[in-house]
Structure formats: C-alpha cells, structure tokens
Amino acid sequence: MPITISGDGTITGLSAGGLPNDSITLANMAHGTDGQILTYDAAGAPVALGPGTDGQVLTSTGSGSPPAFEAVSASKWTQGSSTSVGTGTTVLITGIPATAVMIVLTYNHISCASSNEDNFIMRCGTSSGITGNAGENRGLSAYMQDNDSGEVNGGDDNIPLGPYAFTAHDGYYHGHVILTKWDTGKYHAQGACFQSLSSITGAPTLYSITLTGEVYLGAALERIQMQWHNGTGTFDDGDYAIAYLEA
C-alpha cells in the first residue's frame, strides 16, 4: 500500500512498525546538490558528501570519519625524455632532486668520434658540481665475449659504463645503470650493457657487460656526467634518458 499524506496531515499506509521495506523511492527523497554522495558521519547520522572538484577522487579517511574527495597523489616516479648526447666531450645531466632514492640512467647507441678511446665512464656529483676526489665514485665493469672475459677497475673517481676501447665509429654502447640510495650521500650502482663492436673485417662482435660500484658524496646526488675516460674523446652518436623515484 502506498504511503499518502492528506491535507490535514493524516498519514495512511504506514504500519505500526514504521515504514515498510522498499517503500521510499527516489521521488520521495529530498533534493540535494549535483555531485553529492550520501554517507554517514562519525555519529552515524546521514550526511551529504561533496561535491568535490574536477580530478579529485573519493578516498577513505579511516574509521570514525566520512570519506572525502581528495586530489590524486602525484606519481613519485619521474621519467625524462630521450635526449641526444650531442658532440661534446662530456654529457652533464642535472635536475635530479635531492629527494631521489633511486635514479635510473639508460643509454643507447653511444659512440665516440675519436680513435682508440678508453672506457666509457660515469661520474656523479652534488649540487656543487661533479666530484673528483678519490673514493667518491668507484666501480668495476666485467665483460664477457665468447671464451674471453675480463674486468676494468674504474679507479677512485668513476664508474665504467663499458670496458672495451674501440676505433672511431666502430662500436656502440647500449645499457642502463641503477643508482640506489642506502644512506645519506651514499648510493649503490648496478647495471648492464652490451657493446656491439665491428672488427676491421666487418665481422660483428658483441660484448656482454655487467657493472657495479659505489658512490660516496657526503650530500645528495643531483647530477651525473658521462664521458670518455681520457677526458678528451668526443661523442658522435647516441641518446640517453634519466628517471628517478622520490621518497
């Protein structure tokens, strides 16, 4: 039986037990505001929530309080775009925030314009610049090709990104390095790359390379520099990208 209210306030159709189940329709409800959601407050009373603003999402605020419309948290990952290495002797990457706890450097098709260059290396620095003090950047690369294997020690001021010297335009590096913060100003480096090297006869040779290292800076890592070990070789091909995760 439908519930009706007459002009004198007489209600019919209401049982002694109160409103019957399923008797209230949308048409019976009071009008609200577009975008509002009905929920309950901490006292258990019904409350209209919202509306929020464009782009917000409905989130739980925990037990004892109604949910809320809130902005979506920004991603803690920042991905940079691919950038050419250019034709200089160094590639300096800046803009890494001090709050980064993981930094990923990827590089592709890197080659040198000079002949018989030494190793392709990476050095790290703080907001003050690239450091060069002994013990602040140190690493080791190990390579394997067919039955040949070896290693290159980066010394006390660099982390080698590739251990094999080659003639100009004759080889390319492709790989990545992950720098993970484990203490203030201290980072562990690990990565891998492969080097494609064509001999004078044109027969292709591939070197599989793994690398590891440690960076001790005394402050947050905020820049990375790629270069050739002797400091005079110039880049002539390749690109790189940087990504980082903030705490």
Side-chain angles (χ1 to χ4, degrees), residues 144-236:
M144 180 175 63
Q145 186 270 322
D146 295 334
N147 294 322
D148 180 28
S149 64
E151 64 182 38
V152 173
N153 192 325
D156 284 334
D157 66 349
N158 70 80
I159 296 174
L161 299 178
Y164 204 90
F166 52 81
T167 303
H169 306 286
D170 202 30
Y172 300 91
Y173 290 109
H174 323 258
H176 71 275
V177 182
I178 302 173
L179 294 155
T180 305
K181 179 180 177 180
W182 59 273
D183 201 351
T184 302
K186 299 178 181 180
Y187 302 79
H188 176 67
Q190 61 182 359
C193 87
F194 76 90
Q195 180 187 15
S196 55
L197 177 69
S198 297
S199 66
I200 296 176
T201 60
T205 303
L206 296 179
Y207 285 84
S208 176
I209 302 165
T210 60
L211 61 96
T212 186
E214 299 289 344
V215 178
Y216 299 94
L217 299 175
L221 189 159
E222 296 188 46
R223 60 188 65 200
I224 293 172
Q225 181 170 290
M226 296 186 295
Q227 66 182 75
W228 305 100
H229 189 268
N230 66 7
T232 60
T234 57
F235 291 91
D236 74 338

Side-chain angles (χ1 to χ4, degrees), residues 1-21:
M1 174 185 296
I3 299 172
T4 59
I5 302 177
S6 65
D8 62 1
T10 302
I11 301 175
T12 59
L14 185 62
S15 65
L19 292 173
N21 293 339

Side-chain angles (χ1 to χ4, degrees), residues 119-142:
N119 310 318
F120 178 39
I121 66 171
M122 176 184 76
R123 301 175 69 198
C124 301
T126 67
S127 60
S128 300
I130 297 297
T131 60
N133 297 326
E136 291 187 325
N137 298 262
R138 54 189 176 188
L140 178 73
S141 283

